[in-house]
């Protein structure tokens, strides 16, 4: 009678010790984009003069990048444009005409 009770208590203590040790280790959770909010995208359809290809402009409003994607149906081909940083483009546009910090003549 004492032997089964003793072994069941030993087993119960081993399970409780295992559960306690399991709680000491941190869980392996994936934290994707923890410091950034997900992107907001604006997609604008367009047409090319070639006739068989169409283009989609993709604007990521959270990072300020513009990209484009073209699909050619007869060839079943998708082409991607490298992202363009609009902040740099608009910052470079300030100096057109030579009126950065000088007074206009």
């Amino acid at each position: 009678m004492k032997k089964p009770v003793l072994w069941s208590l030993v087993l119960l203590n081993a399970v409780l010790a295992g559960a306690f040790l399991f709680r000491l280790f941190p869980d392996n959770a994936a934290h994707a984009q923890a410091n950034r909010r997900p992107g907001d995208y604006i997609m604008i359809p367009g047409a090319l003069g070639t006739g068989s290809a169409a283009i989609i402009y993709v604007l990521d409003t959270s990072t300020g990048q513009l990209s484009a994607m073209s699909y050619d149906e007869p060839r079943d081909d998708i082409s991607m444009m490298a992202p363009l940083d609009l902040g740099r483009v608009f910052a470079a546009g300030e100096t057109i005409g030579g009126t950065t910090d000088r007074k206009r003549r």
Side-chain angles (χ1 to χ4, degrees):
M1 178 75 180
K2 289 184 181 182
K3 204 166 197 171
V5 172
L6 178 67
W7 284 111
S8 64
L9 288 176
V10 168
L11 181 64
L12 178 64
N13 280 332
V15 169
L16 290 174
F20 176 71
L21 290 176
F22 181 73
R23 296 288 294 162
L24 291 179
F25 297 110
D27 55 337
N28 189 12
H31 299 286
Q33 298 178 350
N35 297 330
R36 236 183 71 178
R37 65 182 181 90
D40 294 326
Y41 297 101
I42 298 175
M43 301 176 83
I44 305 164
L48 296 176
T50 60
S52 65
I55 192 165
I56 297 175
Y57 299 101
V58 181
L59 176 63
D60 185 357
T61 59
S62 63
T63 61
Q65 292 184 340
L66 175 70
S67 184
M69 183 171 126
S70 173
Y71 176 67
D72 190 6
E73 188 174 358
R75 294 187 319 177
D76 196 26
D77 183 33
I78 295 178
S79 316
M80 295 289 294
M81 179 186 95
L84 180 67
D85 187 13
L86 293 178
R88 283 188 9 196
V89 171
F90 292 137
E94 291 176 345
T95 61
I96 294 176
T99 57
T100 54
D101 291 332
R102 297 181 227 142
K103 293 180 182 176
R104 287 192 167 172
R105 294 181 189 179

